């Protein structure tokens, strides 16, 4: 393999580049990125960067010395528009082509949008440029902020806006925010954090329309109410960036379908990070983006699946001065119990936080920690040692949601 092209100058793309060099690849390395920026850390965008506690230099994931050591060609500010397996090329939006022997797909995901987002004052928060624009709006004096979506990005952004002194309302269509991730009982704790932080939480109704002429002035709700707004932040999830792969013969279904080793139906093409649906699961978490590249590169260089990536899922979120950490796989019907610390009568974590265990058939399948980092890390290590029974082992029969990997030329 003489040339490898990484499509996506992202966190997972950078980790793939590091792994390629660490695992002995000495050939030509090309990194394509649609943003003009080198890889940067996204989690601080909704937190420290938004409130002005971190500048852009602290977001950088690599420095000049490492960049030189990677010896890569960086093609930034240009989108990939296609993958031609027969011609063994990546097609770029500016008309150029990159001949290549192997491809790492690391194009991530894009923020979902609502009709009417062309109004001034309406923001998404996915990229550095998004964060720059929102931070500029938030420094124009006190604002009425409506956050649409009570997921992690929405909650973190609402927390930051409240910290900056703005009047904040979060609109969540579900009865409680984060129910799919945490279950109703623990989702109620997150709802209580909003209340404790001085943020109004409107649940059980969706958004009908955004109101305004050139600039947003309000949000019309599906139940007939209208919320006045100077700034609207849309945090309703993300969609994987796979449109450029249409017609490439790769299997696409809510991401790029891969086996448990991040290998697609073409052995010379692997996918990592938010865009990859690995073994039937697409995980939009920092840990997936940093752990998958090691396995993906091993298999890419081997030309077949030798290693698999089935770590215990883990994510964290900082909201209203609380650190929320979760590991494992929650499923509706799991029993949840507080094992350490307490939840107060107001529904918020006690002074020393708490650790909750999710149990199924008499065993722990997930853990949630709020302001209880040491206990959580111990519990997370236990989960990693005791792999859940329902997880597939290497060599198990592949599910219908995974591609069948056959020898094929890129």
């Amino acid at each position: 393999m003489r040339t490898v092209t990484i499509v996506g100058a992202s966190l997972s793309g950078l980790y793939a580049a590091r792994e390629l060099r660490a695992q002995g690849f000495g050939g030509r390395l090309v990194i394509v990125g649609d943003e003009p920026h080198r890889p940067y850390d996204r989690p601080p965008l909704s937190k420290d960067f938004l409130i002005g506690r971190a500048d852009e230099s602290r977001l950088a994931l690599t420095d000049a010395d490492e960049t030189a050591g990677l010896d890569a060609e960086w093609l930034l500010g240009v989108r990939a528009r296609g993958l031609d397996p027969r011609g063994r090329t990546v097609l770029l939006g500016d008309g150029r082509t990159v001949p290549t022997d192997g491809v790492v797909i690391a194009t991530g995901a894009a923020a979902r949008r609502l009709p009417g987002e062309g109004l001034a004052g309406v923001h998404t928060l996915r990229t550095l440029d998004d964060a720059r624009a929102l931070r500029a709006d938030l420094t124009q004096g006190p604002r009425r902020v409506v956050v649409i979506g009570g997921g992690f990005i929405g909650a973190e952004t609402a927390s930051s806006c409240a910290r900056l002194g703005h009047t904040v309302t979060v609109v969540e269509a579900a009865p409680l925010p984060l129910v799919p991730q945490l279950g109703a009982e623990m989702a109620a704790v997150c709802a209580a954090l909003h209340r404790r932080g001085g943020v109004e939480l409107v649940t059980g109704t969706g958004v009908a329309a955004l109101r305004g002429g050139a600039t947003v002035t309000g949000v019309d709700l599906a139940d007939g109410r209208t919320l006045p707004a100077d700034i609207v932040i849309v945090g309703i999830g993300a969609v994987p960036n796979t449109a450029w792969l249409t017609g490439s013969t790769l299997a696409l279904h809510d991401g790029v379908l891969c086996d448990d080793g991040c290998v697609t139906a073409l052995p010379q093409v692997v996918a990592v990070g938010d865009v990859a649906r690995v073994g039937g699961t697409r995980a939009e978490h920092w840990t997936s983006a940093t752990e998958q590249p090691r396995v993906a590169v091993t298999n890419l260089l081997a030309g077949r699946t030798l290693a698999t990536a089935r770590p215990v899922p883990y994510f964290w979120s900082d909201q209203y001065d609380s650190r929320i950490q979760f590991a494992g796989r929650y499923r509706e019907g799991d029993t949840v119990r507080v094992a350490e610390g307490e939840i107060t009568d107001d529904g918020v974590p006690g002074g020393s936080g708490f650790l909750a265990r999710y149990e199924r058939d008499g065993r722990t399948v997930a853990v949630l920690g709020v302001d209880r980092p040491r206990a959580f890390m111990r519990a997370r290590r236990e989960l990693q040692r005791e792999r859940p029974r329902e997880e597939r082992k290497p060599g198990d029969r592949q599910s219908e949601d995974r591609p069948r990997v056959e020898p094929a030329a890129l």
Side-chain angles (χ1 to χ4, degrees), residues 152-386:
F152 293 111
I153 291 296
E156 291 171 1
T157 306
S159 173
S160 295
C161 291
R163 180 187 285 271
L164 290 170
H166 301 291
T167 301
V168 184
T169 302
V170 174
V171 179
E172 169 57 51
L176 287 169
L178 300 172
V179 169
Q181 294 86 359
L182 305 179
E185 187 174 347
M186 293 298 113
V189 176
C190 292
L193 290 177
H194 285 290
R195 293 192 296 270
R196 187 179 70 178
V199 169
E200 182 181 0
L201 181 61
V202 177
T203 62
T205 186
V207 171
L210 302 180
R211 183 176 292 232
T215 302
V216 70
T217 60
V219 176
D220 291 337
L221 302 182
D223 63 7
R225 288 179 289 172
T226 296
L227 303 176
D230 305 303
I231 294 175
V232 173
I233 302 163
V234 180
I236 54 174
V239 292
N241 288 320
T242 59
W244 68 283
L245 293 166
T246 302
S248 67
T249 73
L250 293 181
L252 308 175
H253 176 64
D254 185 35
V256 179
L257 298 191
C258 308
D259 66 12
D260 283 348
C262 303
V263 179
T264 72
L266 298 173
Q268 287 76 36
V269 180
V270 296
V272 293
D274 292 358
V275 74
R277 191 171 180 83
V278 179
T281 301
R282 188 172 70 84
E284 296 181 13
H285 302 312
W286 194 92
T287 47
S288 298
T290 57
E291 292 174 353
Q292 289 172 354
R294 177 183 56 81
V295 167
V297 166
T298 296
N299 297 331
L300 177 66
L301 295 178
R304 59 193 179 95
T305 301
L306 295 179
T308 58
R310 296 292 291 171
V312 174
Y314 165 66
F315 59 82
W316 78 92
S317 180
D318 295 318
Q319 304 173 21
Y320 307 103
D321 297 321
S322 284
R323 167 60 64 94
I324 300 168
Q325 295 171 286
F326 184 90
R329 293 181 172 87
Y330 161 75
R331 195 165 69 193
E332 186 176 358
D334 290 347
T335 300
V336 186
R337 66 178 179 88
V338 175
E340 298 183 31
E342 65 172 349
I343 299 172
T344 70
D345 292 340
D346 294 331
V348 297
S352 59
F354 69 87
L355 177 78
R357 292 181 177 270
Y358 292 70
E359 297 173 341
R360 187 185 313 150
D361 299 329
R363 61 190 179 84
T364 299
V365 294
V367 290
L368 169 70
V370 179
D371 297 329
R372 200 89 170 186
R374 291 184 179 178
F376 174 83
M377 293 310 294
R378 287 196 300 270
R380 182 189 176 195
R381 286 194 292 269
E382 291 173 9
L383 281 178
Q384 291 170 329
R385 286 194 296 267
E386 299 177 12

Side-chain angles (χ1 to χ4, degrees), residues 22-36:
Q23 294 189 33
F25 176 70
R28 181 188 180 208
L29 177 57
V30 181
I31 303 175
V32 179
D34 62 346
E35 295 184 58

Side-chain angles (χ1 to χ4, degrees), residues 55-74:
D55 60 21
E56 292 185 19
S57 65
R58 289 180 56 187
L59 301 178
L61 290 171
T62 186
D63 57 24
D65 289 341
E66 183 185 30
T67 300
L70 288 175
D71 189 25
E73 299 175 36
W74 295 81

